[in-house]
């Protein structure tokens, strides 16, 4: 029986293992950490968002430049397929008002536990504390509990993650081993990440408060999501959705009254008497809460008094910041193994018989289910392709 080695036990690696064992291949999964699926479990702490329930053509633009290469992969395993997969593991799912799909349990642990049990029953061997160290001749080298170990395999699937949340296992150290084999790589960059800001003293009382009912815009990207005021800056879905545009050097603005146009805002401000303080004008006539008023003062002090000019500022408040937070603080990354280094089957052109899947590939997407969907889909694609490669070589 042929032997397949899967390196990395996140969603992409486990999906590849499942496809390989289903094809009658003997499968070993090696994981660097003492336990598997650590980032998957962390994502589930706030409610595991498995997918976005929407048509493929709506989903694809979320993957930016990688959409063309991911099209057949996501077409073969789309949001509906993700839901069927979860149900097949005994985990019922539901779709929220925004189209996001969650397991009823709202956690990753029951799903992961059921998945590992199914893989174990199918014969998949899981080895933890095995950190990949590249190749020695044709053998694959790991740093294990007892030192360096070599493993031979007929085919390999790499599912090594990106370079964020290193404490969970994705530190990007694998790039040195692929670069040594002349595999083309794009540098890692933070995606779905917060902003660094140096707040003035008057913002201290708002630390930990959520900014709601606003619209963030950076270049072509826009979000009605929320953000939390933190000691070091802004965090939350509203910022994550536009962080790619910020990374590409587009200016960031926030609309504090997104449900009103400029003329309406100016008209309401013009109704106030000349004796009314600016804060009271904003509170009474626009219903701005203290946090939004403080934010306007933070980024545009002194605020203009003239209604039309003030309306323009409130609708397009420039957010002065010190850039995105560090790579290791990002939920996900851009960069990784370039698609032109891979065959359509996700096999490395420079290293035949070695396939890649998951976040280590050069793609990015916003939060909202797109990340896990693509990790599962590329893992499935690479696993099936690896099984076909073995069958053809037999």
């Amino acid at each position: 029986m042929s032997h397949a080695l899967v390196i990395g036990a996140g969603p992409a690696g486990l999906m590849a293992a499942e496809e390989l064992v289903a094809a009658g291949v003997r499968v070993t999964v090696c994981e660097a950490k003492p336990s598997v699926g650590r980032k998957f479990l962390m994502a589930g702490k706030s409610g595991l968002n498995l997918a976005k329930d929407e048509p493929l053509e709506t989903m694809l633009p979320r993957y930016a430049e990688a959409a063309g290469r991911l099209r057949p992969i996501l077409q073969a395993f789309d949001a509906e397929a993700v839901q069927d997969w979860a149900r097949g593991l005994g985990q019922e799912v539901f779709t929220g008002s925004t189209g996001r799909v969650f397991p009823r349990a709202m956690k990753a642990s029951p799903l992961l536990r059921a998945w590992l049990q199914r893989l174990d029953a199918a014969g998949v061997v899981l080895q933890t504390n095995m950190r990949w160290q590249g190749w020695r001749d044709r053998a694959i080298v790991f740093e294990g509990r007892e030192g360096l170990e070599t493993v031979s395999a007929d085919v390999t699937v790499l599912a090594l993650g990106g370079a964020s949340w290193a404490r969970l296992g994705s530190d990007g150290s694998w790039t040195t081993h692929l670069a040594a084999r002349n595999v083309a790589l794009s540098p890692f960059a933070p995606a779905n990440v917060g902003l660094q800001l140096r707040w003035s003293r008057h913002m201290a009382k708002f630390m930990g408060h959520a900014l709601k009912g606003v619209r963030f815009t950076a270049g072509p990207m826009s979000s009605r999501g929320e953000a939390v005021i933190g000691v070091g800056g802004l965090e939350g879905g509203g910022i994550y959705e536009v962080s790619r545009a910020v990374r590409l050097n587009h200016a960031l603005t926030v609309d504090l009254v997104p449900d009103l146009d400029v003329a309406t805002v100016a008209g309401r401000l013009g109704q106030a008497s000349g004796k009314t303080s600016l804060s009271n004008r904003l509170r009474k006539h626009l219903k701005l809460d203290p946090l939004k008023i403080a934010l306007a003062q933070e980024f545009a002090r002194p605020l203009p008094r003239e209604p039309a000019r003030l309306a323009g500022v409130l609708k397009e408040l420039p957010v002065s910041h010190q850039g995105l937070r560090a790579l290791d603080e990002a939920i996900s990354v851009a960069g990784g193994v370039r698609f032109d280094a891979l065959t359509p089957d996700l096999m490395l052109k420079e290293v035949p018989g070695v396939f890649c899947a998951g976040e280590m590939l050069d793609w990015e997407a916003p939060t909202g289910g797109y990340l896990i969907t693509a990790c599962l889909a590329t893992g499935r694609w690479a696993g099936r392709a690896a099984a076909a490669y073995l069958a053809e070589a037999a």
Side-chain angles (χ1 to χ4, degrees):
M1 183 183 289
S2 297
H3 180 216
L5 183 63
V6 176
I7 307 177
L14 295 180
M15 185 63 85
E18 187 149 52
E19 292 298 328
L20 281 157
V21 77
V25 180
R26 182 167 58 93
V27 181
T28 301
V29 178
C30 290
E31 165 59 39
K33 290 293 185 179
S35 59
V36 308
R38 290 191 167 199
K39 194 171 181 181
F40 186 63
L41 291 170
M42 177 65 79
K45 282 196 170 183
S46 56
L48 183 65
N49 187 187
L50 286 171
K52 184 74 176 291
D53 193 3
E54 61 188 13
L56 180 68
E57 296 305 320
T58 304
M59 178 194 304
L60 278 173
R62 296 289 194 162
Y63 296 95
E65 298 91 346
R69 289 299 301 265
L70 290 175
R71 173 184 285 276
I73 298 171
L74 291 167
Q75 200 164 23
F77 198 77
D78 59 9
E80 186 175 345
V82 172
Q83 295 175 68
D84 290 340
W85 166 79
R87 293 188 191 101
L89 286 166
Q91 303 301 305
E92 286 303 312
V93 298
F94 72 94
T95 302
S97 58
T98 60
R100 296 185 178 196
V101 178
F102 300 88
R104 288 280 176 196
M106 289 297 288
K107 294 186 294 185
S109 50
L111 189 150
L112 181 60
R113 190 161 49 246
W115 198 6
L116 292 174
Q117 289 171 354
R118 188 164 77 182
L119 290 171
D120 181 65
V124 173
V125 175
L126 178 61
Q127 296 183 355
T128 56
N129 292 300
M130 294 281 283
R131 178 171 289 275
W132 185 49
Q133 299 297 310
W135 292 274
R136 181 184 297 163
D137 296 324
R138 298 183 65 180
I140 302 158
V141 183
F142 291 92
E143 183 182 348
R145 290 185 178 89
E146 307 299 327
L148 292 182
E149 303 179 28
T150 58
V151 178
S152 296
D154 300 297
V155 71
T156 304
V157 177
L158 302 178
L160 296 159
S164 63
W165 294 7
R167 66 190 185 279
L168 302 179
S170 299
D171 60 10
S173 60
W174 52 265
T175 54
T176 57
H177 308 311
L178 294 190
R181 292 294 186 103
N182 299 315
V183 174
L185 305 169
S186 294
F188 287 123
N192 294 299
V193 66
L195 282 177
Q196 299 184 82
L197 284 100
R198 299 190 190 101
W199 299 112
S200 64
R201 209 178 320 171
H202 89 283
M203 291 295 293
K205 63 183 177 182
F206 296 105
M207 292 300 111
H209 290 217
L211 181 62
K212 303 179 180 181
V214 299
R215 179 181 292 279
F216 293 100
T217 300
M221 307 187 81
S222 178
S223 170
R224 283 293 297 259
E226 299 178 6
V228 175
I229 309 294
V231 173
L234 277 170
E235 289 280 351
I239 293 296
Y240 301 157
E241 287 192 43
V242 299
S243 61
R244 169 183 161 85
V246 173
R247 192 182 74 236
L248 296 176
N249 296 318
H250 289 286
L252 176 65
T253 62
V254 58
D255 183 350
L256 299 178
V257 278
D259 297 320
L260 304 175
D261 59 26
V262 174
T264 301
V265 173
R268 292 189 181 184
L269 290 170
Q271 294 171 5
S273 69
K275 296 181 179 179
T276 306
S277 71
L278 182 57
S279 292
N280 280 336
R281 288 170 67 192
L282 297 176
R283 179 175 56 83
K284 291 181 178 179
H285 296 278
L286 293 178
K287 310 298 182 187
L288 294 192
D289 59 36
L291 174 53
K292 290 181 181 178
I293 295 172
L295 210 64
Q297 294 282 9
E298 179 76 3
F299 293 130
R301 185 187 301 116
L303 291 171
R305 302 282 303 187
E306 195 273 315
R309 288 183 59 212
L310 180 55
V313 170
L314 298 176
K315 289 291 293 178
E316 201 170 342
L317 182 67
V319 178
S320 302
H321 59 86
Q322 285 71 54
L324 299 176
R325 300 191 73 84
L327 182 64
D328 194 47
E329 298 177 53
I331 291 175
S332 61
V333 297
V337 178
R338 287 169 39 173
F339 280 102
D340 59 8
L342 299 160
T343 69
D345 286 337
L346 301 183
M347 185 176 74
L348 291 172
K349 294 176 181 177
E350 295 291 336
V351 196
V354 177
F355 297 76
C356 298
E359 201 180 342
M360 69 181 293
L361 301 176
D362 184 12
W363 59 272
E364 64 176 307
T367 57
Y370 303 106
L371 295 170
I372 291 179
T373 293
C375 284
L376 292 170
T378 55
R380 177 180 180 272
W381 189 268
R384 290 196 166 192
Y389 177 87
L390 287 173
E392 188 176 334

